[in-house]
Amino acid sequence: MRIAPMIAAAALLLASTAAWAGPKTVTPLDAGWQVRIDPADATAARAHPKAARWLKATVPGSVQQDLIAARIAPDPFKGTNEAAIQWAGLTDWQYRLVLDVTPAMLARDHLDLVFDGLDTFATVSVNGQPLLSADNAHRRWRGDAKPLLKPGRNEVTVRVASPIKRLQPMVLAEKNPLPGEYDSAFGDEPKGKQTSPYIRKPKYHYGWDWGPRLVAIGVWRPVRLEAWDDARIEAFRVDQQALNDAEARLSATFDIVADAQATTEVRATVTGPTGAPVTATRTVTLVPGVNVVTVPLTVTDPQRWQPVGYGAQPMYRVDAALGQDDSASRRIGLRTVEIIRDGGAFGFRVNGTPIFAKGANLIPFDSFPARVTPASMRPLLQGARDANMNMLRIWGGGYYLDDAFYDMADAMGLMIWQDFMFGGSVTPPDAAYRENVRIEAEEQVARLSSHPSIVLWAGGNEILSGWENWSDRKAFKKAVGPDEQERIGANMAVLFDRVLRAAVTAKAPQTPYWANSPSTDYDGPADTDAAGDRHFWDVWSGSKPIERYLDSCPRFMSEYGFQSMPDLSTIRDFAGKGALAAESPVMKAHQKFLAGEGNARLQLYLDARLRPAKDFADMVYLTQVNQAQAIELAALHHRACRPVTMGSLYWQLNDVWPAISWASIDYSGRWKLLNYAARRFFAPQAIVAENVNRVTRVSLISDLTTPTPARWRITVRDMAGATLSTRDEAATLAPLAATLVATLDDAALFGTAAPDASYAVAELLVGDKAVSRAIVERAPPKDMAYPAPGLSARWKDREVTITAKALARAVMLDFGDVAAQPSDDGFDLLPGESITVTVASAASPATLAKSLTLRTLAR
């Protein structure tokens, strides 16, 4: 086999430096890989003979991606194909790569093969000799291959075992296996006997209530060959020791691996936004093994990184050098972060400013992480920022994202709540598991520590609250008895209160740690309104009315959600042509809540709140309206509860595949009505008008840091458009606050107007502009006597002006099967009101005009 061009280039470089110690060189190994069923898995090889032959492999990638590319397995995202690819996760696989190695390459002291991610149980061999074994998909794996290499042709082999096959004998032998997350729908694991709790692998691969079961296997992160001689930089980070208006004191920390005792120079240079560099050097004596070396740096007149809405996002670059042997670079931002904890409170203070967190939970971008690119991530982050979000929570059942994601969050000013990767299962109580996690945590925290956008590291998702509160955990604790219960609980406490906390303290001391979500950081019961953060699922999962969101003021709502269908064009992408129905096999296959029965929950809420659907497309619209209105009700209530409540993060921003789910942006990147609504209810200044028990409470909200003169107005109208009453008052928006300005009972506000035939319009005006508006109704939309809205559409190229003759509630621009994204959608129009919307689409203006249907809540 011919040598890859990148390998050849490296050989020439190495040849020129072979006579003396040279700098580290890095050669990517991303081409020339092949994959097949491991011949030792004879049963699978017989069942799938095409996959038993060597296939082209994409690295980074997964076996499933290669099978789809080779047309051996169907695309699981289409139709009902998910079942047809399950065998891949139950099979053992073998990768190979051929390397041509020159004598000059072998003259280097070290030739390390570095795997940034192996998923998950993998053994790496070189020329048939073992190099390393891996058992954690979240870790980097390195082995010095030089002793195993020879001049000429060499073969690197990676055997990857099915995680289910590897672990299942142990799990089945357990009388009481550890409680996990979601049971398989495909019969490969018995109910209640899951292998996922025992492995360090992305948990969502085993299936979730918004995503498929695709147990990915493969070389899922980049691979490279590193050639070095005397010493190399294993890790480099920059810690912020102190920050004030006069200076920032930094510590550049090198983890240096050395072969022998030697004296060398380490250098760190920080370059600020103005371009003026500051350099510091140290002469150090290295000893064999790992050496931790710090270089202090001082930046005068520091510029602080601020969350979006609170200032700019200046960044600094720190370049590091280890003599002539190695170099590294980091981009950093300067900021302070504190957790507000007074009296049970939970919130964030950034650079001394208490900030109400507005945002959503982020799940993985795709079932196959290797095909996620910066270009595919950017629209989702931009969509969050454009919707006036300032925080995203990276949920703990996925994987640690690439640096490119955090670079974008840094630049956009989006605060990141970063979970460690624990999805909800009870963790194994053995020391080896904790040690594996310790290495993972220290490696990942060190890698990401320089990103100012990360304002919190949390131990994981729902492990502690589940252990305290969930019925299956209570049954498990009863079954295993008090001694084993104590052993497992104590070991979880060691993991989440000590091991992970220590990793953050050591590797990112400028960033707080929180034991779990939800939790009180071991300061009382988890998942209550009284203290810490909360996950609230009485609405949706518990089938309670959406008005339950108004029952209390939690300290910080880090999860709550409501489902809807995606855009109709997205549905067509996975369901194909032909008739569509909510209970059809394909629609149930892409609805993972209640194992495919979740569309009945959609209908339950439609029946409770909205009018009957006219057809399937209208049902898509109505589910999106219900979702947007439910989350709007909750988010505005949370904001009105400030300062008791200091955060509202709904579930969820995105989808991992095309699905019916809680996402506000679907898998194809198309905004649902919720994301448009978020832009309104997360606006920096907002009016909240809640009608509860025949009383309307009006609150004014401002996220600005200075007082703002304003006016608020509430106008009562009948369905014919006549004004029944108006109240108009001046106000000053208090900075960083929610202010209750009126409490109006129905008799005072609406008089004798019938509830189904009248409504109120609450507006917040700053200057002459209405910056926020809310519609107050005393009956659910299904009982309102909405008039025919008399909508008209006037097109000019890709702009369309929508005009209403009468009240038009929740106007949606529906383009059917045509993929299109309007600049605004899901808005209300008052009688005689118009709005001009720009439509982004690959379709022509004529096609857009022809395909447009205007939908409202009118019958």
Side-chain angles (χ1 to χ4, degrees):
M1 180 176 290
R2 292 186 58 198
I3 187 170
M6 293 293 291
I7 300 291
L12 291 174
L13 176 61
L14 292 171
S16 68
T17 60
W20 58 86
K24 184 181 77 176
T25 61
V26 177
T27 304
L29 302 179
D30 56 0
W33 288 90
Q34 295 178 304
V35 67
R36 68 178 179 183
I37 294 174
D38 191 327
D41 194 344
T43 301
R46 285 193 299 270
H48 305 280
K50 291 183 179 179
R53 298 190 290 268
W54 287 113
L55 309 171
K56 180 181 178 182
T58 298
V59 172
S62 66
V63 165
Q64 285 87 343
Q65 290 171 253
D66 298 327
L67 294 173
I68 296 166
R71 299 179 183 246
I72 293 173
D75 184 347
F77 285 18
K78 303 292 186 182
T80 57
N81 290 340
E82 181 188 355
I85 201 171
Q86 293 304 308
W87 64 272
L90 300 169
T91 301
D92 298 335
W93 297 89
Q94 185 183 67
Y95 284 80
R96 74 174 179 184
L97 174 71
V98 174
L99 292 179
D100 284 334
V101 176
T102 67
M105 295 170 72
L106 292 171
R108 299 302 297 265
D109 288 350
H110 299 273
L111 291 173
D112 289 356
L113 277 174
V114 184
F115 295 83
D116 283 339
L118 292 167
D119 193 0
T120 294
F121 294 121
T123 57
V124 180
S125 301
V126 177
N127 295 325
Q129 299 299 309
L131 176 69
L132 61 87
S133 294
D135 61 356
N136 187 328
H138 302 301
R139 283 176 55 185
R140 180 178 62 245
W141 299 92
R142 175 189 294 269
D144 188 352
K146 181 182 175 181
L148 308 180
L149 293 168
K150 63 182 188 298
R153 186 183 188 279
N154 294 260
E155 184 170 283
V156 178
T157 304
V158 182
R159 283 187 161 87
V160 190
S162 162
I164 296 172
K165 282 174 56 178
R166 171 70 67 89
L167 293 170
Q168 198 164 64
M170 176 194 70
V171 174
L172 294 180
E174 290 278 352
K175 181 180 179 181
N176 297 293
L178 294 174
E181 288 105 356
Y182 288 89
D183 285 323
S184 173
F186 301 102
D188 51 327
E189 292 187 301
K191 303 294 184 184
K193 293 184 178 292
Q194 301 171 16
T195 57
S196 63
Y198 300 88
I199 187 173
R200 295 305 299 147
K201 172 181 172 59
K203 300 298 185 179
Y204 78 106
H205 284 173
Y206 293 88
W208 220 267
D209 58 1
W210 37 254
R213 184 176 176 91
L214 294 169
V215 185
I217 289 176
V219 183
W220 77 287
R221 291 270 196 205
V223 187
R224 60 189 177 274
L225 181 69
E226 292 188 1
W228 58 284
D229 294 314
D230 298 330
R232 62 175 174 83
I233 299 173
E234 171 70 12
F236 171 67
R237 70 180 194 276
V238 181
D239 296 331
Q240 179 183 290
Q241 303 296 329
L243 175 64
N244 56 47
D245 292 341
E247 66 177 16
R249 293 194 297 276
L250 310 176
S251 177
T253 300
F254 300 70
D255 291 353
I256 300 169
V257 176
D259 266 350
Q261 182 169 318
T263 300
T264 189
E265 181 181 87
V266 293
R267 181 173 68 256
T269 299
V270 57
T271 304
T274 61
V278 175
T279 299
T281 61
R282 278 189 64 187
T283 299
V284 296
T285 298
L286 304 176
V287 297
V290 178
N291 301 257
V292 179
V293 177
T294 60
V295 177
L297 290 164
T298 300
V299 174
T300 57
D301 300 319
Q303 298 184 39
R304 296 181 187 232
W305 180 93
Q306 297 280 7
V308 60
Y310 295 86
Q313 291 77 45
M315 297 293 290
Y316 292 75
R317 190 183 76 249
V318 183
D319 297 304
L322 169 62
Q324 300 299 314
D325 292 294
D326 203 357
S327 61
S329 182
R330 290 285 182 271
R331 281 169 50 85
I332 67 169
L334 306 176
R335 53 95 179 111
T336 61
V337 182
E338 306 165 77
I339 298 180
I340 302 168
R341 292 297 310 275
D342 302 338
F346 179 78
F348 294 89
R349 186 180 289 114
V350 181
N351 297 320
T353 301
I355 294 177
F356 190 99
K358 305 177 297 185
N361 288 260
L362 188 85
I363 63 171
F365 292 90
D366 198 288
S367 292
F368 304 122
R371 65 186 185 188
V372 177
T373 65
S376 62
M377 292 188 288
R378 181 174 293 278
L380 282 163
L381 272 77
Q382 190 65 52
R385 193 181 191 276
D386 290 347
N388 287 309
M389 299 183 195
N390 60 25
M391 176 176 280
L392 294 174
R393 173 182 170 233
I394 311 302
W395 168 77
Y399 59 93
Y400 304 95
L401 298 173
D402 293 344
D403 278 276
F405 170 86
Y406 302 95
D407 288 340
M408 287 185 276
D410 292 342
M412 293 183 190
L414 290 170
M415 296 182 290
I416 300 299
W417 169 317
Q418 177 67 57
D419 277 3
F420 283 100
M421 291 301 117
F422 295 89
S425 61
V426 175
T427 55
D430 57 280
Y433 180 88
R434 288 198 306 277
E435 176 62 11
N436 199 346
V437 170
R438 180 194 66 78
I439 298 169
E440 165 197 322
E442 291 184 356
E443 180 181 301
Q444 294 292 350
V445 174
R447 176 177 71 90
L448 299 174
S449 64
S450 298
H451 293 284
S453 55
I454 300 178
V455 297
L456 185 75
W457 280 92
N461 177 74
E462 296 182 348
I463 297 96
L464 302 184
S465 59
W467 184 248
E468 288 182 18
N469 303 320
W470 293 358
S471 59
D472 68 327
R473 272 52 169 173
K474 291 179 179 179
F476 172 80
K477 288 187 280 191
K478 182 178 180 181
V480 299
D483 290 344
E484 183 67 0
Q485 173 185 334
E486 173 65 22
R487 185 175 80 94
I488 293 172
N491 276 279
M492 283 198 293
V494 171
L495 178 62
F496 294 110
D497 195 29
R498 297 183 189 176
V499 174
L500 298 181
R501 192 185 304 276
V504 176
T505 300
K507 303 298 183 180
Q510 65 272 22
T511 302
Y513 173 78
W514 191 244
N516 232 248
S517 181
S519 80
T520 56
D521 204 33
Y522 290 101
D523 193 25
D527 204 15
T528 72
D529 288 333
D533 69 311
R534 184 86 202 275
H535 292 189
F536 184 80
W537 286 103
D538 286 5
V539 177
W540 185 262
S541 294
S543 300
K544 297 296 191 294
I546 69 170
E547 289 75 21
R548 288 291 297 272
Y549 285 133
L550 306 179
D551 286 353
S552 64
C553 291
R555 294 300 195 162
F556 191 109
M557 189 68 87
S558 50
E559 265 196 35
Y560 62 102
F562 202 95
Q563 272 201 1
S564 74
M565 291 186 179
D567 189 86
L568 187 59
S569 61
T570 298
I571 292 174
R572 286 296 186 193
D573 285 344
F574 71 76
K577 298 179 181 180
L580 294 169
E583 294 303 311
S584 67
V586 68
M587 294 302 294
K588 292 178 73 171
H590 288 254
Q591 163 63 278
K592 293 300 181 180
F593 180 67
L594 294 181
E597 300 303 322
N599 290 339
R601 188 65 50 87
L602 287 173
Q603 189 63 53
L604 181 148
Y605 277 104
L606 291 182
D607 293 343
R609 297 195 69 249
L610 303 182
R611 61 167 173 78
K614 300 169 185 177
D615 53 28
F616 182 83
D618 196 45
M619 183 181 185
V620 170
Y621 159 72
L622 291 172
T623 67
Q624 291 201 20
V625 171
N626 235 7
Q627 180 192 39
Q629 291 185 347
I631 301 304
E632 178 179 41
L633 183 76
L636 286 174
H637 177 71
H638 298 154
R639 297 187 71 188
C641 285
R642 182 173 185 165
V644 174
T645 304
M646 286 301 292
S648 182
L649 308 179
Y650 66 74
W651 186 271
Q652 62 210 55
L653 179 68
N654 61 312
D655 271 328
V656 75
W657 77 321
I660 303 159
S661 79
W662 296 266
S664 62
I665 302 177
D666 72 25
Y667 179 75
S668 299
R670 294 157 192 153
W671 286 26
K672 298 183 186 178
L673 296 188
L674 172 55
N675 219 68
Y676 294 98
R679 188 165 59 192
R680 295 185 281 270
F681 62 66
F682 280 151
Q685 298 160 314
I687 189 167
V688 183
E690 298 175 346
N691 186 273
V692 181
N693 297 326
R694 296 182 293 280
V695 173
T696 298
R697 291 166 53 89
V698 181
S699 299
L700 306 181
I701 297 167
S702 178
D703 291 337
L704 305 185
T705 56
T706 56
T708 306
R711 301 188 67 81
W712 67 273
R713 179 170 63 212
I714 188 163
T715 304
V716 178
R717 297 188 178 210
D718 64 20
M719 290 303 176
T723 297
L724 304 181
S725 67
T726 299
R727 179 187 297 255
D728 192 324
E729 296 188 13
T732 297
L733 301 181
L736 304 172
T739 305
L740 179 67
V741 293
T743 301
L744 308 169
D745 64 43
D746 284 356
L749 179 60
F750 291 98
T752 60
D756 66 338
S758 62
Y759 60 96
V761 182
E763 296 174 288
L764 174 62
L765 298 96
V766 176
D768 296 328
K769 182 180 179 182
V771 297
S772 179
R773 185 167 79 182
I775 303 291
V776 182
E777 295 172 337
R778 291 173 287 164
K782 69 174 182 175
D783 295 332
M784 295 296 291
Y786 295 128
L791 293 176
S792 62
R794 187 175 70 256
W795 284 89
K796 182 180 179 181
D797 194 29
R798 295 183 179 275
E799 287 186 347
V800 58
T801 299
I802 312 297
T803 303
K805 292 182 179 179
L807 174 67
R809 290 282 274 132
V811 179
M812 180 184 189
L813 284 70
D814 185 352
F815 294 93
D817 296 353
V818 177
Q821 181 166 308
S823 58
D824 200 1
D825 213 352
F827 44 80
D828 299 317
L829 289 177
L830 301 179
E833 202 168 40
S834 296
I835 185 173
T836 299
V837 175
T838 301
V839 182
S841 176
S844 68
T847 299
L848 291 173
K850 182 179 179 181
S851 62
L852 175 63
T853 298
L854 295 174
R855 299 189 184 276
T856 75
L857 288 181
R859 290 179 180 271

